[in-house]
C-alpha cells in the first residue's frame, strides 16, 4: 500500500482548485522523452535525449502520480515521448491500476504512436485501460515514413488491429499539416469512422525548435471544417471534456470528429488539466512557461505532506490562459518540445 492510500495526510478535502476556481481532475504524465519515431512537427531530426538520471524513475512516477490521484485527479493519461518504449512501463501501469480498483481513479489511459501495440495491447487491457489515443497523420506509407522520419505504417495499423481485438476503444489523433495531409483528411476521417473509431484533428502548436518553419505547416481547422461542410453534414455534439476539443457528428459516416484548436482561445476557462514532464516538472498550462519542480522536492527527501504542498502551490499558480501565436520566423511560444511535455 502506498502512503497516498492513507487519508491521514489530508487536512483539507482532496480537491485541487486553482486560483481561478478551476478544479484540476486530469493529469497527463509523460514517462519518457524518447521515441522510436521523429515526427517532423514534434522533434528535431537529431534530438538530444535526456540523461537517464534526469528522468523520473518508475518509483518516482508512481509516487507522484499517486499523490495527484489522492488529491482528486480522476483521469490519468500516460504519454511521452513514446510511452510504450519506456522500460518497465507495464509494471508502472499495473501499480497505478490499483487506483482504478479502489475507485479513486475513473480512467487510466494512454497516448501512443501505436508501433508497439501489437505486443502490448492485451497487457494494457489487462491492467484496466479501456481507451487509448493513437496518433496517425496519414494512411500513405511513403508520407508516413517522411512525416515520422523513417516509421513503418504497417506496425501502427497492425497495432490498431491488436488494440481493437483486445477490446480497447481507439481514438485516432491526426495533426493537420497544410502541405502534407490536408487533402487526405476526409479519407482519414472516413477510414477511422468506417472502423468504428473516433477521430480528432489537431492544429500544430508552436512548441520547441524543430527543423521546419511552422508557418508553412500550420493549417487552420476552421478552414478544414468549412471544407468538410461542403460535402458532409456536421452536427455539434455537446461533449465537453474540459479540454480543447470541440466535437461534431459526421452524419454521413455516423462517427465522431473532434477539432483541437489551441490557437484560438476557446477552452482555457474550462481547463481541468495539468501536465507533468518525465523530469518531474509540473506545467499547469501547455502554452505558458510556468513550472514547479516536483523532482527536486522528491529528491530532497520531502515527505508526503511536503510533496502535496508543492503540488498545491503549483496548481495555485495555474495561469488564466495561454498565448499561442504562430508568426513567420518567430521563436516557439514555449521552448520545450511536446515530446518532453507530453502531448
Ligand atoms: N508518442 C505519442 C504519440 O505520438 O501519440 C505520445 C506523445 S506525442 C508528443 C502526443 C501528441 O502530440 C501526438 O498526437 C502528436 O501528434 C502531438 N504533437 C506533437 N508535437 C505537436 C505539435 N507541435 N503540435 C501539435 N501536436 C503535436
Ligand atoms: Fe514520437 Fe509522438 Fe513526437 Fe511523433 S509525436 S515524435 S511519435 S513523441
Amino acid at each position: 500500500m502506498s502512503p497516498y492510500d492513507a487519508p491521514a495526510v489530508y487536512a483539507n478535502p482532496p480537491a485541487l482548485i486553482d486560483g481561478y476556481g478551476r478544479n484540476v481532475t486530469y493529469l497527463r504524465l509523460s514517462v519518457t522523452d524518447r521515441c522510436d519515431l521523429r515526427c517532423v512537427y514534434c522533434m528535431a531530426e537529431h534530438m538530444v535525449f535526456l540523461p537517464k538520471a534526469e528522468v523520473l524513475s518508475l518509483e518516482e512516477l508512481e509516487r507522484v502520480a499517486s499523490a495527484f490521484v489522492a488529491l482528486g485527479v480522476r483521469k490519468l493519461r500516460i504519454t511521452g515521448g513514446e510511452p510504450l518504449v519506456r522500460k518497465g512501463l507495464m509494471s508502472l501501469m499495473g501499480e497505478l491500476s490499483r487506483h482504478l480498483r479502489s475507485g479513486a481513479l475513473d480512467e487510466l489511459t494512454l497516448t501512443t504512436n501505436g508501433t508497439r501495440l501489437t505486443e502490448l495491447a492485451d497487457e494494457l487491457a489487462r491492467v484496466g485501460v479501456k481507451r487509448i489515443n493513437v496518433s496517425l497523420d496519414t494512411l500513405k506509407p511513403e508520407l508516413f515514413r517522411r512525416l515520422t522520419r523513417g516509421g513503418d505504417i504497417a506496425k501502427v495499423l497492425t497495432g490498431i488491429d491488436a488494440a481493437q481485438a483486445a477490446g480497447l476503444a481507439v481514438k485516432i489523433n491526426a495533426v493537420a499539416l497544410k502541405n502534407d495531409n490536408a487533402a487526405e483528411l476526409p479519407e482519414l476521417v472516413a477510414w477511422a469512422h468506417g472502423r468504428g473509431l473516433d477521430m480528432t484533428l489537431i492544429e500544430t502548436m508552436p512548441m520547441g525548435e524543430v527543423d521546419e518553419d511552422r508557418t508553412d505547416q500550420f493549417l487552420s481547422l476552421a478552414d478544414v471544417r468549412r471544407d468538410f461542410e461542403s460535402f458532409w453534414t456536421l452536427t455539434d455534439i455537446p461533449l465537453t471534456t474540459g479540454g480543447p476539443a470541440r466535437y461534431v457528428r459526421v452524419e454521413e459516416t455516423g462517427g465522431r470528429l473532434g477539432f483541437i484548436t489551441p490557437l484560438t482561445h476557446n477552452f482555457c476557462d474550462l481547463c481541468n488539466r495539468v501536465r507533468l514532464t518525465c523530469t518531474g516538472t509540473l506545467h499547469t498550462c501547455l502554452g505558458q512557461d510556468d513550472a514547479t519542480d516536483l523532482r527536486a522536492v522528491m529528491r530532497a527527501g520531502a515527505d508526503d505532506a511536503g510533496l502535496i504542498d508543492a503540488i498545491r502551490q503549483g496548481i495555485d499558480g495555474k495561469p488564466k490562459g495561454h498565448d499561442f501565436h504562430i508568426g513567420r520566423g518567430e521563436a516557439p511560444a514555449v521552448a520545450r518540445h511536446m515530446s518532453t511535455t507530453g502531448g
Side-chain angles (χ1 to χ4, degrees):
M1 176 160 127
S2 142
Y4 295 102
D5 297 329
V9 177
Y10 316 104
N12 300 313
L16 285 173
I17 310 282
D18 75 5
Y20 296 93
R22 294 168 297 192
N23 188 5
V24 172
T25 56
Y26 180 8
L27 173 68
R28 298 168 78 105
L29 177 64
S30 173
V31 295
T32 180
D33 64 325
R34 287 163 198 261
C35 186
D36 52 343
L37 302 179
R38 297 285 184 279
C39 300
V40 291
Y41 45 77
C42 178
M43 293 194 180
E45 187 163 7
H46 302 289
M47 285 291 283
V48 179
F49 292 109
L50 294 163
K52 198 167 166 229
E54 289 198 23
V55 175
L56 295 187
S57 67
L58 294 174
E59 292 72 25
E60 287 169 326
L61 286 165
E62 197 277 325
R63 182 182 178 201
V64 72
S66 296
F68 274 93
V69 172
L71 285 167
V73 158
R74 308 282 317 171
K75 175 170 173 178
L76 181 57
R77 178 176 298 280
I78 306 296
T79 180
E82 175 46 42
L84 296 183
V85 304
R86 173 77 200 247
K87 276 207 189 71
L89 180 79
M90 292 316 303
S91 74
L92 173 67
M93 301 285 286
E95 284 289 321
L96 292 174
S97 70
R98 75 176 188 283
H99 300 305
L100 290 171
R101 291 190 296 277
S102 76
L105 201 57
D106 293 328
E107 188 172 10
L108 176 60
T109 184
L110 174 98
T111 299
T112 174
N113 64 26
T115 59
R116 299 213 57 215
L117 279 174
T118 305
E119 300 99 280
L120 296 174
D122 279 337
E123 233 174 309
L124 287 171
R126 226 176 358 254
V127 298
V129 173
K130 299 260 185 284
R131 303 188 297 173
I132 58 171
N133 289 353
V134 177
S135 304
L136 180 63
D137 305 327
T138 178
L139 293 171
K140 298 178 182 159
E142 264 321 302
L143 180 57
F144 183 84
R145 197 182 314 281
R146 182 159 64 73
L147 288 177
T148 58
R149 298 196 184 92
D152 175 6
I153 197 173
K155 280 194 194 167
V156 180
L157 297 178
T158 51
I160 293 171
D161 287 342
Q164 288 194 280
L168 300 175
V170 176
K171 178 161 78 71
I172 303 291
N173 283 343
V175 176
L177 300 161
K178 188 163 78 184
N179 299 326
D180 295 313
N181 64 1
E184 190 194 346
L185 291 176
E187 191 185 328
L188 195 57
V189 173
W191 169 82
H193 288 177
R195 298 186 54 135
L197 312 177
D198 285 342
M199 166 110 211
T200 299
L201 299 176
I202 309 173
E203 276 174 353
T204 50
M205 295 178 233
M207 297 192 62
E209 293 287 356
V210 290
D211 301 326
E212 299 182 17
D213 183 340
R214 287 181 206 276
T215 331
D216 294 336
Q217 301 178 342
F218 182 73
L219 173 63
S220 155
L221 289 183
D223 293 346
V224 172
R225 186 176 171 148
R226 246 190 314 279
D227 181 42
F228 284 4
E229 281 171 333
S230 69
F231 45 83
W232 278 338
T233 312
L234 308 184
T235 309
D236 285 313
I237 315 176
L239 183 72
T240 14
T241 57
R246 293 288 169 270
Y247 288 92
V248 299
R249 179 182 328 285
V250 180
E251 298 301 340
E252 288 77 2
T253 63
R256 284 196 299 199
L257 174 63
F259 295 92
I260 300 190
T261 53
L263 299 181
T264 33
H265 285 245
N266 63 0
F267 62 89
C268 300
D269 291 351
L270 294 174
C271 182
N272 64 354
R273 62 192 58 193
V274 294
R275 292 173 165 80
L276 192 71
T277 68
C278 58
T279 56
T281 302
L282 174 65
H283 292 296
T284 57
C285 177
L286 183 58
Q288 300 274 3
D289 275 325
D290 77 291
T292 306
D293 186 352
L294 297 180
R295 182 186 66 190
V297 174
M298 287 191 283
R299 292 190 182 172
D303 62 6
D304 301 338
L307 178 55
I308 279 167
D309 246 24
I311 293 173
R312 282 200 191 280
Q313 272 177 35
I315 301 287
D316 252 6
K318 182 168 163 66
K320 188 153 190 258
H322 65 67
D323 208 11
F324 279 140
H325 168 239
I326 296 188
R328 190 164 287 279
E330 282 182 9
V334 276
R336 61 186 191 268
H337 284 91
M338 189 69 108
S339 52
T340 317
T341 311

